[in-house]
Amino acid sequence: MPSRRLLPMLLGLALVAHAASAADLDDCNAEVPEPAAAARPAAEAYWLDGRHLQWPGLKLQPGERVRLHHAAAAGLRAVVGEVVTGSDGAVALRPSAAPLPEGFRFIGEGLRLAVAGGAPVAALLREQLLLVHETADGRVIASTGVQIAGALDDLYAAAERVDDLGARPGRGATRFAVWAPTARRVLLCRHAVPGAPAVAAEAMRLDAATGVWRAELEGDLSGQAYRFLVDVVAPAHGLVRNLVTDPYSVALTADSRLSIVADLASPALKPRGWDAAPRPRRMKAATDQVIYELHVRDFSINDASVRPAWRGKYLAFTEPASRGMQHLKALAEAGLTDVHLLPVFDLASVPERGCRTPAIPDAPADGEAQQAAVMAQAAGDCFNWGYDPWHFNAPEGSYATDPLRRVIEFRQMVMALHRAGLRVGMDMVYNHMAAAGQARKSVLDRLVPGYYHRLDARGEIERSTCCDNTATEHRMMAKLMIDSAALWVREYRVDSMRFDLMGHQPRAAMERLQARVDAEAGRPVQLLGEGWNFGEVAHGARFLQASQLSLNGSGIASFSDRARDAARGGSAGEGGDDSVRRQGWLNGLVYAPNALAAARPEELLEAADMIRVGLAGSLRSFELTTWRGERKRLDAIAYGDQPAGFASEPGEVVNYVENHDNQTLFDVNALKLPLDTSREDRARVQMLGAALVAFSQGVAYFHAGQDILRSKSMDRNSYDSGDWFNRLDWSYRTNHFGTGLPPRQDNYGRDGRDWALARERLADPSIAPGPAEIAWARDVFRDLLAIRAGTPLLRLSSAAEIRKRVSFPGSGASQNPVLVATRVDGRGLGGHRAVLAFINVAPTPQVLELPAEAKARWVLHPVQRRGADARVRDEARFRGGRFEVPARSAAVFVLD
C-alpha cells in the first residue's frame, strides 16, 4: 500500500492504540496490489541476539568504526565515500568477545559487535536499519542490512508461550491476537458480513513483552470477516501499509481474501454425530501402518458414481456406494490402515471459485495436443498437487462445495473415512510458502518482514525446496508449525502426518511437535516425512536436521530411497537414454536387458543386496552377508556417499517404490522393461514392487492407483498437469497410459529426447493394460495387503526383534540375485513358527535349495492358497528343502 498516510507517524513510533480514521477504513477495503518491482537490499550482517551483531568478513582498520543507522521514514542512503543521508541517528557499537550462539555457527567469521549503552533495540527494529562501516569522519566504506531473526527470537522469547493467537470468539467478547513485533501500528479491519465492505478499523495494542498486538471487541463475532492493516518497514519497499490475512486463520472466504472468525468447537461447524463419532483403533506400533497416498480431487473427479456436485470434493468420500469408496473399503478390509491426503490446507494455486476444466481434444496416443490443451489452462484450472501453502490452519476451499463450508465438509470426509475403517493422514508442508516479500499472496513476510523465511548470506530468501523456504529454526516459525499440527489433530482428528521435505526442519522442532500432537490426541500420532539431505541446511550446516541420517532414535520415520532406487533403477532426476539404460532389479537389470542396457553383472548383485537392506528395514545395526562374502552392518554398506542403513528402529523407515513424485512405477517400467514385455508380465512386475513393500520391515507406503497399474502417460512431474494426466479409474477399464505426450515443460528433455522415448512407448498399443490385467493386479495387491496384515512377522516392531529373527537365505557370494528370500523366525511370538517370503524378478522360474529346511513342513501362505495369482497358487512349491518360485512371482511360505 502507498505510504502517503504514514507521514504523521514519521516523527515517532506509534505503538499505542490510536483511533482509526476514515482513511484507514478506506485502506481496509482496498485490494491487495501486486508489488512494484524492487531489489531486496543486501543484508549480510546478523543480529545474534537482542544486543549483539556480527558482520561476516569485516575487519576494521585503525581509525574506522561501525555504526547502526536508523530511519523511521525508511529513506536511508549510503554511498561509498559520502556521509549517510536520510538517517535519524546512529547507534554506537563496540567490539564484543561474546561467544557465537550455536544457531549461528553457519555464518562466516567476522567482526562481532555489541550495542553500546541502553539503546532501545526493540524500537530500532521497527525502523529501517543499516549497518555502516565508516571512516572516523563518518564517510561510508561499506554498508549492509541486518538479518533480524536472532534479535526477535531473543527479545520476544515469551511469545512462544502465547496460546491465543488468531481470533477467539466467546459469549461476551471476541479477542484477536497477531504477532508482529516490528510493526509500527496494527489495525483490525472488520467486516460484519464476509462479502461486504469493512465496517470498522479497530486499533490494536502492542504487548511489549511478546510482540503480540491485541484487540478485544464486545460480543461473539463468529461469522464475521477480518484482516490486519499493518504499518511496517519491508526490506525492499521501505515503509509500507500491508493488508494481511491472519496466519492463524481457521476459516476463510473464497480465494482466501478474508479471514473469518470461527469457533471450531461450535455445533454449527460440526457434522451431525461428530462429537460421538468413533475413531479407528489405536495403532499398536508404527510398523502396523499401511498407507495409501491419495489426492482429494484425483479420488473422485472422474468417478461417474459420485453425484456431479461432489466430484473432486471432500464430500465425495461420504458417498459410501461410489466406486471410489468401495475401492477404499475393499483395501481397508484387506489390510490398509491409513489414507494420506496430499495437501489439504489452504493452498494458493487453485481458484476456489471459477476454476476452469480444459476441453481435451481427441488425439493420438502419442499426440501433443492433449498436453497443449492442459497447459494452456493450467494457471487457472481446478488442479494442483497443492504444495504451495497459503494458510496452514484452514482446509482448502476448492475441495468444498462452497469455500464457506470448508470446515464442516472436511470433517464429514474424516468421519466417512473413519467409518470405512481408515485412519486419516495429512501431507504437511511447512518448509516453504507459496509467496514471500510483498507478493499479493504473501502472509508471513508481510506481517514480519525478514523473519519467517530462511535467508542466505546476502539476505535473499533461500529457495532450495522449490519455493520461498521457511525458517523453522526460528522460534515463532517453529511455533506456527507446531500449533498448526496440533490444531489438525485436535480439531479434525487427523491420525498421522507426512512432512514434505522434513530434512529442512530441525529435529528438535519435530520432536517438540511429536510430543504436542501426541498430547492433543491422547494417543501416538505417527509422523513420517521426506528426510532428504540437501540445500542450505545439508549435513547439519545450520542445525541438527530432521533428516534420514540424524533422525535415528527419534521414532519419526523417513522415506527410504535405498530399495526404491534399486528396485526401479536409476534415480529421480535421470533423463534421456539413461532413463532407459539404467534398469532396476524389478525391470530387467542384467537378466532382461533392454535395447540400451549396458549393465555389469556386479550391478545386479549390488541391487539385490540393496533390496535386502530395504527388507531389513534399512536398520543401522542389522548384519548382512554381502555379494562379496563380507559380513557387514547395514550402516557399513555404502549407498552412494551415505550408509545404506540409517534407521535405529523399524518404525523410523518408510518403504515405497512409488508415490506422487516422479513417474509412476508402471511408467518407469514402460521405459526400462524390454519393449516386447507382455501386458501380463508388466502387471506382474508392478505387483513385485508392491510385494517388496509389503514384505519389508518398517512402514508400508503405496501410491493411490499403484494397485491398478496407474499411469500418468509418462509424466514425471504432474503437479500442475491437470486432471487429464492425474486420472484414476475405479471402474478398472483403463490405466490412462497412451493418452498423449506428457506436458512439455518437465518432460521434453534435452533436444527432445525424453519426448521421443515417451512417444515410442505411448504409440505402442501392446503396452497399455486391459481390464483383465488391471483387475488381476487389483486382486493380487489386496492379497499382499492381507498377507502383511495377517502376518505380524513381516512388521516387527523393534530392531532387536529384527536382528534376532530376520535372515536372508541364499544371500552372500554364491547368491542368485534374481531370487531374494527373507526368513523370519516366529518362535515364542505365537502364530506362525516362521515365514519365508520370496520375490523372483526373473522371467523364468527359480529354485532355492535350503537343505536345513528339508524336514520342515512349509506350506504356501493361506491367503495365496486361495489367492488371485493362479501362477503362484499352482506352481509355487516346497519339496524336501527345495523352494520353487514361478517366473516374476512373489510367494510366501509359512511354517506352523
Side-chain angles (χ1 to χ4, degrees):
M1 299 287 291
S3 59
R4 64 188 184 278
R5 298 191 182 98
L6 302 184
L7 293 176
M9 295 170 50
L10 302 185
L11 299 178
L13 299 179
L15 304 182
V16 294
H18 292 306
S21 67
D24 293 327
L25 193 57
D26 288 344
D27 283 346
C28 282
N29 287 312
E31 291 298 321
V32 177
E34 286 295 343
R40 194 181 186 104
E44 298 177 347
Y46 299 80
W47 283 100
L48 303 178
D49 55 32
R51 303 299 297 177
H52 296 89
L53 308 94
Q54 183 157 314
W55 190 341
L58 180 66
K59 294 182 179 179
L60 285 182
Q61 300 300 320
E64 296 175 352
R65 67 188 182 190
V66 178
R67 293 195 299 168
L68 184 65
H69 286 262
H70 58 97
L76 285 168
R77 187 169 179 267
V79 178
V80 174
E82 298 180 11
V83 175
V84 173
T85 59
S87 177
D88 293 340
V91 175
L93 303 171
R94 54 178 173 77
S96 171
L100 184 69
E102 176 67 18
F104 288 93
R105 69 184 189 277
F106 66 94
I107 70 176
E109 289 295 323
L111 184 63
R112 199 162 304 149
L113 300 158
V115 176
V121 175
L124 290 171
L125 289 166
R126 298 184 189 102
E127 301 190 36
Q128 183 190 23
L129 298 178
L130 197 63
L131 202 57
V132 183
H133 178 196
E134 303 174 335
T135 61
D137 60 355
R139 296 190 181 278
V140 176
I141 300 171
S143 65
T144 183
V146 189
Q147 299 185 27
I148 65 173
L152 297 185
D153 279 349
D154 182 30
L155 294 172
Y156 301 105
E160 193 173 25
R161 298 188 293 276
V162 172
D163 62 2
D164 63 346
L165 293 173
R168 300 296 178 101
R171 284 186 180 179
T174 298
R175 296 184 299 277
F176 299 84
V178 61
W179 189 69
T182 60
R184 304 269 185 89
R185 186 183 187 214
V186 181
L187 296 171
L188 174 71
C189 299
R190 183 167 59 84
H191 301 248
V193 179
V199 296
E202 314 281 358
M204 302 185 77
R205 184 176 294 273
L206 176 68
D207 175 5
T210 62
V212 174
W213 292 80
R214 297 182 175 277
E216 182 171 322
L217 304 179
E218 285 189 14
D220 184 341
L221 303 184
S222 292
Q224 295 196 14
Y226 69 101
R227 282 186 289 192
F228 301 116
L229 196 59
V230 183
D231 297 336
V232 69
V233 173
H237 291 80
L239 195 55
V240 293
R241 169 161 280 193
N242 284 335
L243 192 55
V244 193
T245 46
D246 187 348
Y248 275 74
S249 299
V250 296
L252 296 149
T253 61
D255 296 318
S256 310
R257 184 174 179 272
L258 303 172
S259 302
I260 294 178
V261 178
D263 177 5
L264 296 180
S266 167
L269 295 177
K270 295 178 180 178
R272 181 179 301 172
W274 172 256
D275 288 332
R279 297 176 67 171
R281 290 193 306 272
R282 177 177 176 148
M283 190 72 66
K284 290 182 180 178
T287 51
D288 292 337
Q289 293 174 96
V290 180
I291 298 168
Y292 201 61
E293 183 194 45
L294 180 63
H295 186 277
V296 168
R297 186 170 173 88
D298 291 354
F299 172 66
S300 62
I301 192 60
N302 292 296
D303 188 349
S305 66
V306 174
R307 66 191 74 181
W310 289 7
R311 293 175 194 166
K313 308 293 185 181
Y314 299 127
L315 291 183
F317 292 89
T318 70
E319 292 260 31
S322 73
R323 291 192 185 104
M325 280 307 295
Q326 290 298 308
H327 186 88
L328 291 183
K329 288 177 185 176
L331 292 174
E333 289 168 3
L336 189 71
T337 63
D338 292 53
V339 167
H340 268 209
L341 300 170
L342 266 70
V344 285
F345 48 71
D346 181 57
L347 52 100
S349 53
V350 176
E352 293 184 346
R353 284 190 174 146
C355 66
R356 300 183 298 271
T357 300
I360 309 300
D362 187 9
D366 62 340
E368 299 180 26
Q370 299 97 320
Q371 62 87 32
V374 168
M375 299 316 294
Q377 300 285 335
D381 74 356
C382 305
F383 178 87
N384 197 282
W385 280 350
Y387 291 90
D388 49 348
W390 197 351
H391 298 89
F392 292 126
N393 295 353
E396 165 58 13
S398 69
Y399 299 145
T401 57
D402 183 312
L404 295 177
R405 289 184 54 79
R406 66 182 80 206
V407 171
I408 195 167
E409 291 183 5
F410 189 103
R411 285 170 159 173
Q412 287 176 276
M413 173 186 66
V414 171
M415 286 180 70
L417 287 167
H418 282 174
R419 275 197 303 270
L422 290 164
R423 301 180 347 134
V424 177
M426 272 182 66
D427 199 325
M428 318 301 280
V429 188
Y430 296 112
N431 62 82
H432 65 258
M433 296 297 291
Q438 286 294 107
R440 189 173 62 82
K441 294 183 179 180
S442 169
V443 175
L444 301 179
D445 215 22
R446 293 172 69 242
L447 265 177
V448 192
Y451 175 78
Y452 281 103
H453 292 274
R454 187 175 299 123
L455 307 179
D456 67 12
R458 286 188 52 79
E460 296 287 342
I461 295 174
E462 295 277 10
R463 293 179 57 85
S464 57
T465 64
C466 80
C467 311
D468 294 312
N469 293 5
T470 56
T472 40
E473 65 270 28
H474 297 166
R475 189 184 303 276
M476 294 302 284
M477 184 61 221
K479 174 180 171 58
L480 174 56
M481 176 178 74
I482 294 168
D483 287 349
S484 173
L487 179 142
W488 287 104
V489 168
R490 180 180 67 248
E491 303 294 349
Y492 292 98
R493 300 180 183 168
V494 167
D495 302 290
S496 55
M497 294 177 173
R498 171 205 183 272
F499 286 80
D500 181 65
L501 299 183
M502 180 176 64
H504 271 58
Q505 292 153 198
R507 170 173 168 157
M510 288 299 301
E511 289 181 317
R512 295 200 306 275
L513 187 152
Q514 178 78 80
R516 176 79 178 278
V517 295
D518 287 355
E520 294 284 359
R523 59 164 78 180
V525 175
Q526 286 73 32
L527 306 184
L528 57 93
E530 294 179 310
W532 315 133
N533 177 44
F534 70 98
E536 71 282 358
V537 299
H539 308 295
R542 298 198 180 205
F543 46 76
L544 183 64
Q545 300 157 263
S547 62
Q548 277 182 341
L549 297 182
S550 51
L551 269 177
N552 67 96
S554 69
I556 299 169
S558 296
F559 285 93
S560 176
D561 45 357
R562 277 52 169 172
R564 179 202 70 184
D565 286 352
R568 288 168 63 102
S571 61
E574 69 187 3
D577 288 353
D578 276 352
S579 62
V580 176
R581 181 181 297 114
R582 297 171 64 185
Q583 290 177 278
W585 185 72
L586 287 176
N587 49 44
L589 177 65
V590 176
Y591 62 86
N594 61 42
L596 298 181
R600 298 173 290 105
E602 292 83 1
E603 293 179 50
L604 177 58
L605 292 163
E606 291 168 355
D609 276 358
M610 203 57 65
I611 293 297
R612 295 181 179 96
V613 168
L615 288 162
S618 302
L619 293 176
R620 291 170 178 256
S621 58
F622 187 86
E623 292 188 354
L624 173 69
T625 302
T626 72
W627 69 275
R628 295 180 185 276
E630 301 166 331
R631 186 75 176 171
K632 287 187 173 183
R633 283 172 48 114
L634 300 190
D635 60 5
I637 296 175
Y639 172 74
D641 62 352
Q642 303 177 66
F646 65 85
S648 292
E649 294 291 339
E652 295 172 356
V653 64
V654 181
N655 300 302
Y656 74 118
V657 293
E658 174 183 328
N659 71 352
H660 68 273
D661 281 319
N662 309 309
Q663 296 100 330
T664 66
L665 182 59
F666 186 91
D667 289 345
V668 159
N669 290 338
L671 285 165
K672 296 178 186 291
L673 281 168
L675 285 174
D676 61 357
T677 305
S678 68
R679 288 191 183 96
E680 178 190 12
D681 268 10
R682 290 179 187 277
R684 299 193 73 84
V685 171
Q686 180 97 354
M687 288 304 102
L688 295 183
L692 174 60
V693 175
F695 300 166
S696 292
Q697 301 293 335
V699 176
Y701 197 94
F702 300 99
H703 184 214
Q706 183 177 339
D707 51 327
I708 52 174
L709 310 181
R710 184 178 188 174
S711 169
K712 296 182 181 181
S713 207
M714 310 290 284
D715 195 347
R716 70 174 66 239
N717 189 18
S718 69
Y719 79 100
D720 198 22
S721 298
D723 297 328
W724 184 258
F725 290 100
N726 288 281
R727 287 175 292 173
L728 288 164
D729 179 14
W730 304 126
S731 68
Y732 315 125
R733 293 191 297 270
T734 177
N735 77 337
H736 301 295
F737 185 85
T739 51
L741 283 166
R744 181 185 178 109
Q745 66 180 19
D746 286 323
N747 297 279
Y748 186 70
R750 185 175 181 179
D751 299 324
R753 181 57 177 158
D754 290 352
W755 250 15
L757 292 168
R759 193 188 299 274
E760 179 183 16
R761 288 152 177 80
L762 295 171
D764 184 345
S766 71
I767 293 179
E773 290 81 28
I774 293 170
W776 178 88
R778 175 200 64 201
D779 295 343
V780 168
F781 183 86
R782 292 174 188 175
D783 287 349
L784 292 170
L785 294 189
I787 289 170
R788 184 174 177 90
T791 314
L793 295 179
L794 296 177
R795 43 190 173 84
L796 296 169
S797 62
S798 75
E801 286 291 278
I802 291 171
R803 289 193 302 270
K804 176 181 177 182
R805 298 180 182 279
V806 174
S807 60
F808 292 101
S811 61
S814 60
Q815 68 176 270
N816 173 4
V818 297
L819 180 64
V820 168
T822 310
R823 190 185 195 281
V824 189
D825 188 336
R827 286 175 295 180
L829 297 180
H832 301 303
R833 287 175 54 205
V835 170
L836 256 170
F838 293 87
I839 302 177
N840 172 19
V841 293
T844 54
Q846 300 293 313
V847 171
L848 180 63
E849 299 274 3
L850 296 176
E853 304 287 355
K855 295 182 180 180
R857 300 184 63 181
W858 290 95
V859 295
L860 197 62
H861 196 288
V863 170
Q864 289 189 312
R865 289 203 296 270
R866 58 178 185 273
D869 190 343
R871 184 182 293 181
V872 170
R873 197 172 60 232
D874 298 340
E875 300 177 27
R877 299 186 184 90
F878 169 72
R879 298 174 182 174
R882 175 186 174 93
F883 291 89
E884 301 175 9
V885 184
R888 286 182 166 144
S889 295
V892 179
F893 292 86
V894 295
L895 186 62
D896 292 323

